[in-house]
Amino acid sequence: MSDSTLVGGHLRSDDPELASLIDEETKRQSTTLQLIASENFTSLAVMEATASVLTNKYSEGYPGKRYYGGNQIIDKVETLAIERLKRLFNAPWANVQPHSGANANAAVYFALLKPQDTVLAMRLDQGGHLTHGSPVNFSGQLYNFVGYGVTDKGDGGETINFDNMYELALKHRPKLIVAGATAYPRVITVDRVREIADEVGAMVMFDAAHVAGLIAAGVYPNPLYTSSGGKGADVVTFTTHKTLRGPRGGAIVGHEEHGSVIDRALFPGFQGGPLENTIAAKAVAFLEALQPEFRLYQEQVVRNARAFADALERQGFRLVSGGTDTHLLLVDLQSFDPELSGKVAQEALDRAGITCNRNQIPGDPRSPFVTSGLRFGTAAMTTTGMEEEQMRQVAEFIATALRKREDESEVTRVRAEVEALCLKFPPPFLKK
């Protein structure tokens, strides 16, 4: 793709080696299936804002309270992003400066907890995130995390075990309960979490990294509020680059009583100068998410995920929890092929032009580096315009590539079919 318009003349002449690598990645993204649940394609407007002159400005602090001069315009940019985000989530307070979801989580912990305080969060092997208490992560090293899990397999199984959460909360009296997950395909309602937290005097943080776009579109309950309209989570953290379809980054929304302390925890406590070019791109994404078309997109994301889940089941895969309510699917490979690990499956699918990630399933007998599962998401391919029919085709590609993984000619054939499908549904950066 040497004629790619994504690489400008300056970069192509000043650093042809890097320009060539960007061309290669452009080709990879546009000729293979992007099924990683934490990825999406941004609009060209988001990409333009990310690459704007705002990258040149240093702006430590917050609007109206900067440590550097010349931030009159920057203050307007960041304020615009804040106001759009508050409107999007019906939030009394918002912070758009986190560089990532992990940084957003860290800022909340830093603001609301002291070292070694007890936190209740979903176990990592049951769907929780690295920042929910992994011993190799700062969260598990600085705080005392206790993990709740999901129910056993079966009808309605592998969903959050609120009885377990309640028992652990009574026993350990956590200061904070973390809801939300990185590999959990069902809706998490905040009502029961709030009830448990109130009984033991805990605060609630909802990590909405994966479902922020669904929440913004109104196709997933807003965790800031209970179903009756009362206070839900005290604070909600999320990334802006998954279902929200913005630039790579994070954000926090919440109720006003914790706003100032979290602001101080993020800066100067945890981060230095914000990335105002990325904040501008977040503002663009928030405006896009406020449009009626965004709800239609998110509704299609969920329809695609359900069609994809049904098609995978027909191919012999078992879906953890029996299906999905969101963009995310967690697949148990053991029913399809007991000898097939997530690591081997991921590598075979990569060769077939299908990008996904291996993932542990509840009760996984294999390590996190090997796993017995795969995680898929439909947000990116829905952005390209794919619908249920294409999701069924993709399920067939996956099954064929994994059944025939030792036959390189068959894998190559699937890759050619994948590329032909992708060329019919180009990502936004290739659309005229």
Side-chain angles (χ1 to χ4, degrees):
M1 299 186 65
S2 58
D3 61 343
S4 169
T5 58
L6 297 184
V7 177
H10 294 291
L11 180 57
R12 200 172 290 286
S13 62
D14 294 352
D15 194 340
E17 183 178 10
L18 182 60
S20 177
L21 291 173
I22 294 175
D23 285 342
E24 288 180 34
E25 177 61 10
T26 300
K27 182 176 181 180
R28 188 199 68 80
Q29 288 187 23
S30 57
T31 60
T32 60
L33 290 163
Q34 311 310 315
L35 294 174
I36 290 178
S38 49
E39 293 182 354
N40 209 334
F41 294 116
T42 72
S43 68
L44 283 170
V46 166
M47 293 173 68
E48 287 174 3
T50 306
S52 69
V53 297
L54 300 180
T55 195
N56 299 326
K57 189 70 190 86
Y58 220 106
S59 53
E60 279 188 351
Y62 290 100
K65 298 178 181 179
R66 305 288 186 183
Y67 287 76
Y68 293 80
N71 277 296
Q72 301 90 332
I73 308 303
I74 291 295
D75 281 0
K76 293 179 181 179
V77 171
E78 188 166 332
T79 299
L80 184 63
I82 290 168
E83 292 306 314
R84 287 176 177 176
L85 180 57
K86 287 165 65 176
R87 182 180 165 198
L88 196 58
F89 279 78
N90 189 25
W93 164 86
N95 188 308
V96 296
Q97 289 195 7
H99 299 337
S100 66
N103 283 18
N105 289 353
V108 172
Y109 298 156
F110 194 60
L112 304 183
L113 303 171
K114 292 186 172 69
Q116 301 310 311
D117 274 349
T118 297
V119 184
L120 199 57
M122 182 178 272
R123 284 167 41 190
L124 274 70
D125 64 344
Q126 309 259 301
H129 187 253
L130 194 69
T131 57
H132 298 174
S134 168
V136 300
N137 184 259
F138 79 91
S139 57
Q141 295 174 19
L142 293 180
Y143 307 103
N144 175 36
F145 271 80
V146 177
Y148 60 84
V150 298
T151 56
D152 293 335
K153 281 192 292 188
D155 248 2
E158 295 172 304
T159 57
I160 291 177
N161 189 335
F162 285 106
D163 291 339
N164 177 233
M165 182 190 290
Y166 181 55
E167 290 168 4
L168 291 170
L170 290 177
K171 179 179 179 181
H172 296 280
R173 297 280 163 172
K175 190 168 182 181
L176 178 71
I177 299 177
V178 177
T182 191
Y184 184 75
R186 297 299 186 174
V187 167
I188 302 172
T189 52
V190 77
D191 297 47
R192 183 63 178 133
V193 184
R194 182 77 262 171
E195 289 174 5
I196 294 170
D198 287 345
E199 185 165 340
V200 300
M203 295 171 285
V204 176
M205 182 187 101
F206 197 106
D207 186 339
H210 268 276
V211 295
L214 302 173
I215 294 166
V219 301
Y220 188 109
N222 186 341
L224 280 175
Y225 304 97
T226 64
S227 57
S228 62
K231 178 182 176 182
D234 293 270
V235 60
V236 176
T237 63
F238 53 93
T239 52
T240 51
H241 54 271
K242 298 184 178 78
T243 52
L244 198 50
R245 207 161 58 175
R248 297 197 65 82
I252 312 170
V253 294
H255 299 280
E256 287 179 341
E257 61 263 36
H258 300 298
S260 60
V261 68
I262 296 174
D263 282 342
R264 290 194 300 273
L266 189 67
F267 175 83
F270 192 75
Q271 287 186 176
L275 310 176
E276 290 295 344
N277 57 318
T278 303
I279 288 173
K282 291 174 187 177
V284 174
F286 300 155
L287 180 62
E288 292 172 353
L290 285 164
Q291 307 310 310
E293 295 80 11
F294 191 73
R295 180 183 177 95
L296 298 178
Y297 160 69
Q298 295 292 352
E299 288 173 344
Q300 188 62 52
V301 165
V302 175
R303 284 197 297 270
N304 281 354
R306 288 174 173 161
F308 193 20
D310 290 343
L312 287 169
E313 281 189 319
R314 288 196 296 272
Q315 293 290 343
F317 297 95
R318 189 186 76 83
L319 276 293
V320 171
S321 82
T324 182
D325 301 321
T326 65
H327 68 299
L328 185 150
L329 297 81
L330 191 56
V331 174
D332 181 355
L333 295 168
Q334 294 174 105
S335 61
F336 179 80
D337 182 343
E339 303 302 316
L340 179 61
S341 71
K343 181 176 186 296
V344 170
Q346 176 188 310
E347 292 169 353
L349 292 177
D350 249 342
R351 301 200 317 274
I354 301 168
T355 306
C356 65
N357 67 279
R358 61 184 179 270
N359 209 100
Q360 280 193 304
I361 59 172
D364 202 325
R366 295 185 172 108
S367 78
F369 299 100
V370 180
T371 81
S372 300
L374 293 173
R375 188 184 67 162
F376 295 111
T378 57
M381 302 324 303
T382 306
T383 294
T384 69
M386 290 189 188
E387 296 184 349
E388 292 93 328
E389 178 185 349
Q390 287 74 43
M391 292 300 101
R392 289 188 280 270
Q393 284 181 264
V394 171
E396 290 181 18
F397 293 156
I398 290 168
T400 301
L402 293 182
R403 288 192 184 104
K404 305 287 188 179
R405 62 186 180 274
E406 304 295 340
D407 185 341
E408 205 55 43
S409 65
E410 279 294 304
V411 173
T412 301
R413 182 184 63 78
V414 172
R415 187 181 183 97
E417 292 181 355
V418 164
E419 182 169 352
L421 177 63
C422 290
L423 292 175
K424 294 177 184 176
F425 295 91
F429 57 74
L430 290 184
K431 291 179 179 176
K432 301 295 183 185

